[in-house]
Amino acid sequence: MRIDVVTIFPEYLEPLNVSLVGKARARGQLDVRIHNLRDWTHDRHNTVDDSPFGGGPGMVMKPEPWGEALDSVLESGEGRPVLVVPTPSGLPFTQELAVELSEKPWLVFTPARYEGIDRRVIEEYGDRLDVREVSIGDYVLAGGEAPVLVIVEAVARLLPGVLGNAESHRDDSFAPGAMADLLEGPVYTKPPVWRGREVPEVLLSGHHGKVARWRRDEAFRRTTANRPDLIERCDPAALDKHDRKLLAELGWEERADGRFGRSASAVEE
Ligand code: JCK
């Protein structure tokens, strides 16, 4: 896969040189190219921003440098990339979108600063490319570089051969709790006693059936506590008798359609 990033802060993308993404690049599995947007300015001050039409606070990124930068990047490769635009008003970035992007040969990212990029740039390239405006979450950052680091890492670990063998045989969507379905429970390693704290006995028992059941129960406990929305969305067909009993114990009510909802008393808490 090839990834191009156009930014006014190329140093912010340095983490792409280390760890999983850095190793994938070193192995030739990933071709990452960082470009400085200011290379496509022509004035003495390398201006990339200007005041917003219609007034209001902050500055907006000028369209001309983005147009020249993106035309240059597009000319440098074969075919049409997917253009990924981080923005607080984008579609939520999910594991599903990470999987979809991981299947593309070429991604171009346009992390902005200030109040964002002049809308006409997104319209212009939307006519020619598959443009995805995405948000990594409901909080306000100062720019799109951190989202690029997040999205590239989520995508890169899905590329064939990028994760080590041990990890690659685990599909997140079919893991014990099934990501986006249930959260994972706690994990433990050696020593069996640390500062007087013992590893749950069932994990040392060697009883695979009991271990699987315990892990699933812990996954339900964590999911009910941290992400009750995932329980409400849960496909009833994915729940066995034991799951239903546990959810009832955790204060959930089974509805006529088999889905679960918080009992009225639990919602108030
Ligand atoms: C890209 C510039 C800063 C800050 C206007 C937004 C009410 C606009 C993001 N999940 C995410 N949070 N933030 C970003 C993100 C922020 C960015 C840029 C992504 C480019 N900024 C900025 C405030 C505003 N307010 C809410 C008005 C831009 C992602 N992905």
Side-chain angles (χ1 to χ4, degrees):
M1 171 182 278
R2 174 174 164 183
I3 292 177
D4 288 82
V5 184
V6 182
T7 172
I8 60 167
F9 291 126
E11 331 81 82
Y12 207 121
L13 283 303
E14 284 286 310
L16 297 180
N17 293 327
V18 298
S19 190
L20 174 128
V21 175
K23 281 178 198 153
R25 294 173 73 178
R27 290 196 209 108
Q29 292 160 332
L30 197 54
D31 174 10
V32 179
R33 305 181 194 187
I34 310 295
H35 312 272
N36 190 338
L37 180 68
R38 293 194 200 273
D39 291 349
W40 288 277
T41 57
H42 304 288
D43 64 313
R44 280 200 310 132
H45 298 106
N46 303 122
T47 310
V48 293
D49 63 313
D50 206 336
S51 51
F53 274 127
M59 299 291 270
V60 174
M61 296 192 95
K62 295 166 64 60
E64 302 96 323
W66 282 109
E68 288 193 33
L70 289 171
D71 287 349
S72 164
V73 167
L74 295 182
E75 273 174 32
S76 72
E78 296 286 311
R80 295 167 197 248
V82 175
L83 188 63
V84 183
V85 184
T87 165
S89 46
L91 280 171
F93 179 66
T94 59
Q95 187 63 20
E96 185 185 347
L97 183 52
V99 168
E100 190 187 342
L101 294 178
S102 75
E103 289 160 358
K104 309 288 184 183
W106 187 12
L107 307 177
V108 176
F109 290 87
T110 56
R113 286 271 146 178
Y114 311 102
E115 300 296 307
I117 306 172
D118 186 300
R119 188 69 208 165
R120 292 168 292 183
V121 175
I122 286 85
E123 287 171 8
E124 168 83 0
Y125 291 94
D127 290 346
R128 277 182 265 166
L129 306 176
D130 181 4
V131 176
R132 307 297 181 91
E133 290 185 274
V134 297
S135 164
I136 63 162
D138 293 339
Y139 36 77
V140 184
L141 300 170
E145 285 80 8
V148 170
L149 295 176
V150 167
I151 296 166
V152 169
E153 184 163 306
V155 168
R157 66 182 287 286
L158 296 173
L159 297 177
V162 165
L163 284 189
N165 253 358
E167 280 172 294
S168 66
H169 287 291
R170 191 183 100 212
D171 181 334
D172 298 310
S173 58
F174 294 102
M179 176 133 178
D181 177 5
L182 281 183
L183 304 181
E184 301 255 332
V187 294
Y188 300 85
T189 184
K190 290 172 277 297
V193 184
W194 178 74
R195 298 190 178 179
R197 298 170 185 274
E198 296 184 353
V199 170
E201 202 183 309
V202 60
L203 298 179
L204 310 175
S205 69
H207 196 302
H208 300 303
K210 282 187 182 160
V211 168
R213 187 67 254 175
W214 182 84
R215 285 190 170 146
R216 191 161 168 87
D217 289 356
E218 290 300 307
F220 275 109
R221 288 184 211 285
R222 273 217 189 160
T223 308
T224 55
N226 296 342
R227 293 292 305 279
D229 58 305
L230 295 183
I231 300 288
E232 295 188 351
R233 266 199 263 144
C234 203
D235 175 6
L239 302 172
D240 67 19
K241 234 166 45 189
H242 186 116
D243 297 337
R244 293 171 189 284
K245 183 166 160 278
L246 179 67
L247 282 173
E249 282 166 21
L250 293 171
W252 290 74
E253 266 172 15
E254 188 166 356
R255 302 216 186 89
D257 63 358
R259 289 187 185 276
F260 279 80
R262 274 166 291 184
S263 52
S265 59
V267 173
E268 286 161 28
E269 285 164 27

